[in-house]
Amino acid sequence: MLMYPHIDPVALQIGPVAIHWYGLTYLAAFGLFMWLGRRRLRHEPYASLTGDQAWSRKDVEDILFLGVLGVVIGGRLGYCLFYKPGYYLAHPLEILYVWQGGMSFHGGLLGVIGSMLWFAHSRRRPWLQVADFVAPCVPTGLAAGRIGNFINGELWGRFAPPDLPWAMVFPQSGSMLARHPSQIYQFLLEGLLLFVLLWLYARRPRRRGEVAAAFLVGYGVLRFTAEYFREPDSFLGLLPLGMSMGQWLCVPMVLAGVGMWLWAQRQRA
């Protein structure tokens, strides 16, 4: 088994200014979104849209800006609501203490959906057309975030067989027993694998809503699977049916994706 390498979370120190690896992974996520978004403009139906409905690089920049707001606001509110509602109900001002950590992907997803609704309304474009555009550009950002989790030595996995070649000891977990490096599992599954599958799927013309539906189902299934190897939050543990909070939050996500897919099949191509 392996030992966690104790990576310094600070990538560069210049006097009092510290540049953290985690911040750099966010910058990488934003840069990848911009690059992929510009390439997405070449895909149909976006490449053929003209007039007021035409897409441009400025649209990609605006979606990124609104998406970042949605991730931060939705992610923080989602964490407070899904994971510690009682605590934050008693300490409402601490909802603003984002520097203390505590973000939820599923809350961030709801925030991004809200930002896409705003963008679609302001540009008078179909919301699902916007969602289909954004969906294939998201997984690389998720992959970058999981690398940040690994560098920070957080969100480690459950106990693993000591003879598992890639099992790893995370001393910061309070145990010297081997664990699954679940951050790497999630990097590979909901990051790289989901990106490859979704990008290839979105390259061909699809019915409106199909790409967004594929993202919801794909991420939900892959995250649900990865959660079996990830240590549940210590203050929650496992919930009914032996499932973690992350798994329970994936259930409505997958159901929504299936429902969207079935709706899309009824629409004209």
Side-chain angles (χ1 to χ4, degrees), residues 157-170:
R158 304 187 192 188
F159 293 122
D163 58 347
L164 186 69
W166 55 85
M168 184 171 289
V169 174
F170 291 87

Side-chain angles (χ1 to χ4, degrees), residues 150-185:
F150 182 78
I151 291 174
N152 282 353
E154 60 191 9
L155 306 183
W156 50 76
R158 304 187 192 188
F159 293 122
D163 58 347
L164 186 69
W166 55 85
M168 184 171 289
V169 174
F170 291 87
Q172 57 270 55
S173 70
S175 169
M176 295 302 291
L177 297 176
R179 294 178 177 272
H180 289 282
S182 57
Q183 312 97 321
I184 304 302
Y185 295 177

Side-chain angles (χ1 to χ4, degrees), residues 185-196:
Y185 295 177
Q186 291 187 260
F187 163 78
L188 294 172
L189 290 175
E190 65 203 45
L192 294 189
L193 177 60
L194 182 60
F195 165 70
V196 170

Side-chain angles (χ1 to χ4, degrees), residues 57-92:
R57 292 187 176 187
K58 180 65 165 54
D59 292 321
V60 180
E61 295 169 359
D62 291 344
I63 288 176
L64 175 60
F65 174 75
L66 293 172
V68 170
L69 291 180
V71 166
V72 174
I73 297 173
R76 182 58 176 171
L77 293 178
Y79 178 81
C80 298
L81 177 63
F82 300 147
Y83 290 87
K84 291 185 175 181
Y87 178 84
Y88 287 104
L89 184 62
H91 307 84

